Amino acid sequence: VIPRTARSSKKISSSHSSLERDLRKLLLHAAGVITDPVRLAELGRDKWFASALPEIAVAPNTAQEAAAVLGYAHKRGIPVTTRGAGHGYVGGCVPVRGGILMSMHRMNRIKEISTCDFVAVVQPAVITGVLQEKVREKGLFYPPDPASLKDCSLGGNIATNAGGPRCLKYGVTRPYVLGLEIALADGRLVRVGGRTHKNKTGFDLTSLFVGSEGLLGVITEAILRLLPYPPARATLSAGFSSMKEASAAVQAIFHAGFLPCAMEVADSFTLQAARNAHVGQQGTFIPPGNAHLLVEIDGQKASVLSEGKALKSLFAQNKALEVELATSPERCARMWALRRAFSASLKATGLIKLNEDIAVPRGRLVDLITFAERLQKKTGFQIACFGHAGDGNIHVNIMVSAEQQAEQPQKIEAALDALFTRVITWGGAITGEHGIGLAKKRWWPQATSPTLRDLHTSIKCALDPEGILNPGKFVDP
Ligand SMILES: Cc1cc2nc3c(=O)[nH]c(=O)nc-3n(C[C@H](O)[C@H](O)[C@H](O)COP(=O)(O)OP(=O)(O)OC[C@H]3O[C@@H](n4cnc5c(N)ncnc54)[C@H](O)[C@@H]3O)c2cc1C
């Protein structure tokens, strides 16, 4: 089955007033239909470079309203692009074919936090950090921790299968999604999974929707798995003379039988950018050297203290220049402040940061760093690497000036081609966290086999036969 391509915005323009009138009938609150051009422009972009103007935007209050809009659009072949908090990094929620932008921002209620079932029932626009704080107050833990957690939504996290530093021990978003309510492209509502921590009833459709980037359905509710909150935490921060030594320390930690909740690495350019941005003056410890490793462990107090000490000596045996161990929440937070400042420090260099969130098999970390150094020499572009060392998910940031971005687009594309080709050759992934969206669409065919792409097309056609959901993205039959 080949879906009809969702019709273009141009065609919709002629019947714009009837579209607005019809949508107002479908939504109970008049404010749920947005036509203000300034607001539409805001809604038509995320944190990546692309933007596009939707014809109109809707902000449903309920799953039924979202489903009604989809049913309407399905019958008329109108594109519908779903937007969470617009903090994506790949242009995923950009409505490239215009049409209707479905902004979920009104559906932001935490419906339930159950301390006996260890689940939270949430609407999609709940901000990730807000849920984490609310469950923490009840002694519970929602581990997925994207760096954007103060701004991004759980619906967006589910649609991109977001990760973060703590995923090393706890995994990415997918294992925390027990059940979903989905508004399907044709306007039906369906529930998949449920509130049990195990469920083998039929195909695992819950997982299918996780990471589907708004192409298969609209998430209108989620049942999330919670854990007991670990009572103690310790952080170690260490400097090394090179990334090679920091990477060797990562391997040594695993081989000694430790599974920290996070292991974050940063290279010399990133560290120097933080020094230049005077991050240290804000009370943050910046270790000496050309590479930085931040390790966090959690659990019961006695085991955290003894593991912390053991890791400190392991660092010393593995050529760390200096190691600091923090066990109080305040000192741990100060160490994390350095890690959290890397993005801003790199931006403060005045260069534009082209952030590629590739993932390589764990054992390829040193190869990746060596490759990035060679690429830097060859292209003349500064390359800053930092990220989730334990997962092999490193943010390779190609740093370019505004002139380079304007005058040398082909050279930049060639550098990106070289990076992604190398990563694919190693059996790595072109995106470990952010998703394909528009940013990685160019490399989607290279990263997948024809059969795998056919399979994606079949799934898309089965769930969205008219091709209305987020058209123009990586599966666009
Ligand atoms: C500073 C910064 C740091 C970041 N750090 C991380 C990180 O550490 N880890 C990480 O994984 N990501 C990170 N990101 C990327 C981003 O925050 C995540 O991709 C996040 O999950 C996006 O959520 P959102 O609500 O902003 O989604 P949006 O940007 O609004 O949408 C993202 C995608 O999800 C779809 N979508 C959104 N809501 C729904 C829904 N209800 N139903 C169906 N589809 C939907 C959209 O169509 C789009 O394809 C970072 C981004 C920034 C700007």
Side-chain angles (χ1 to χ4, degrees):
V1 193
I2 302 294
R4 206 154 26 99
T5 307
R7 69 185 189 177
S8 75
S9 253
K10 238 186 201 163
K11 285 184 202 152
I12 300 169
S13 301
S14 56
S15 52
H16 184 276
S17 55
S18 66
L19 175 66
E20 185 183 338
R21 197 184 52 236
D22 290 349
L23 290 175
R24 284 194 193 282
K25 275 189 209 146
L26 295 173
L27 301 179
L28 284 179
H29 292 269
V33 177
I34 301 158
T35 53
D36 171 34
V38 177
R39 184 76 183 115
L40 290 180
E42 283 166 6
L43 292 172
R45 66 170 85 99
D46 64 1
K47 298 294 167 188
W48 195 58
F49 301 98
S51 65
L53 212 55
E55 189 80 12
I56 199 161
V58 293
N61 276 297
T62 62
Q64 287 70 21
E65 285 186 355
V69 170
L70 288 175
Y72 171 87
H74 171 80
K75 282 194 194 113
R76 293 159 183 81
I78 301 172
V80 181
T81 302
T82 313
R83 186 182 203 268
H87 268 70
Y89 247 163
V90 292
C93 67
V94 175
V96 281
R97 299 261 167 82
I100 301 169
L101 189 288
M102 170 113 60
S103 176
M104 305 308 289
H105 66 266
R106 285 169 169 246
M107 295 181 63
N108 63 355
R109 246 177 3 103
I110 298 178
K111 292 173 108 176
E112 183 191 351
I113 295 172
S114 166
T115 49
C116 48
D117 288 347
F118 284 77
V119 296
V121 183
V122 297
Q123 289 189 321
V126 172
I127 297 299
T128 313
V130 170
L131 178 73
Q132 285 184 340
E133 277 167 29
K134 295 288 177 202
V135 302
R136 167 86 207 267
E137 285 164 14
K138 295 179 186 276
L140 299 173
F141 186 33
Y142 178 69
D145 58 342
S148 50
L149 62 86
K150 289 207 171 87
D151 300 298
C152 62
S153 73
L154 289 162
N157 291 174
I158 295 167
T160 57
N161 193 19
R166 282 201 293 246
C167 297
L168 176 60
K169 176 172 172 183
Y170 291 103
V172 289
T173 299
R174 182 168 282 124
Y176 296 92
V177 185
L178 297 177
L180 291 173
E181 180 189 54
I182 302 281
L184 295 170
D186 63 6
R188 287 177 298 164
L189 276 172
V190 66
R191 284 190 173 270
V192 291
R195 63 190 282 139
T196 59
H197 290 241
K198 280 184 178 172
N199 191 338
K200 176 55 203 86
T201 316
F203 294 152
D204 186 359
L205 294 183
T206 313
S207 290
L208 177 67
F209 286 104
V210 179
S212 61
E213 298 193 28
L215 273 79
L216 300 182
V218 176
I219 300 154
T220 50
E221 190 176 292
I223 305 175
L224 301 172
R225 180 162 79 107
L226 303 175
L227 303 181
Y229 194 86
R233 200 169 281 286
T235 309
L236 294 108
S237 175
F240 292 85
S241 55
S242 72
M243 279 291 271
K244 206 169 174 182
E245 281 163 2
S247 307
V250 168
Q251 290 286 347
I253 290 170
F254 285 135
H255 289 135
F258 292 98
L259 180 57
C261 47
M263 260 210 283
E264 298 286 303
V265 77
D267 71 359
S268 139
F269 186 83
T270 310
L271 212 44
Q272 195 51 45
R275 290 188 185 113
N276 294 346
H278 306 295
V279 173
Q281 281 175 11
Q282 293 141 32
T284 308
F285 167 70
I286 305 188
N290 298 314
H292 176 241
L293 198 56
L294 187 80
V295 171
E296 183 164 277
I297 49 175
D298 64 4
Q300 295 296 323
K301 196 171 176 187
S303 63
V304 165
L305 285 178
S306 79
E307 276 193 39
K309 283 184 195 149
L311 278 170
K312 195 172 176 185
S313 13
L314 195 69
F315 269 122
Q317 289 156 27
N318 280 275
K319 301 188 183 164
L321 300 172
E322 207 173 301
V323 195
E324 286 278 316
L325 168 64
T327 49
S328 72
E330 299 72 32
R331 287 195 61 222
C332 290
R334 259 192 272 153
M335 286 186 181
W336 273 99
L338 172 63
R339 166 64 181 86
R340 300 225 158 86
F342 285 155
S343 245
S345 312
L346 286 174
K347 281 183 192 148
T349 60
L351 296 170
I352 297 160
K353 187 162 93 58
L354 306 175
N355 177 355
E356 305 304 338
D357 71 316
I358 53 100
V360 293
R362 257 185 204 162
R364 287 286 186 184
L365 200 54
V366 175
D367 293 337
L368 175 68
I369 303 305
T370 312
F371 173 79
E373 283 165 1
R374 280 202 205 118
L375 192 61
Q376 178 172 307
K377 267 193 204 136
K378 194 173 154 195
T379 59
F381 300 136
Q382 197 66 54
I383 299 183
C385 295
F386 72 91
H388 319 307
D391 293 320
N393 178 206
I394 301 295
H395 297 276
V396 177
N397 299 283
I398 302 192
M399 308 292 294
V400 298
S401 64
E403 297 81 61
Q404 284 170 329
Q405 195 181 37
E407 289 162 17
Q408 305 177 11
Q410 282 161 350
K411 194 171 164 192
I412 294 172
E413 289 294 303
L416 293 174
D417 279 341
L419 171 68
F420 289 124
T421 302
R422 175 56 59 184
V423 166
I424 292 166
T425 313
W426 284 330
I430 59 173
T431 167
E433 291 187 329
H434 299 161
I436 306 274
L438 293 171
K440 306 281 166 22
K441 192 179 164 186
R442 172 183 158 103
W443 297 281
W444 162 251
Q446 197 182 341
T448 49
S449 69
T451 311
L452 184 58
R453 290 195 296 281
D454 280 353
L455 215 52
H456 273 76
T457 303
S458 305
I459 293 169
K460 170 77 174 164
C461 293
L463 287 169
D464 179 17
E466 299 298 319
I468 62 162
L469 286 175
N470 208 352
K473 301 293 166 30
F474 65 101
V475 186
D476 191 21

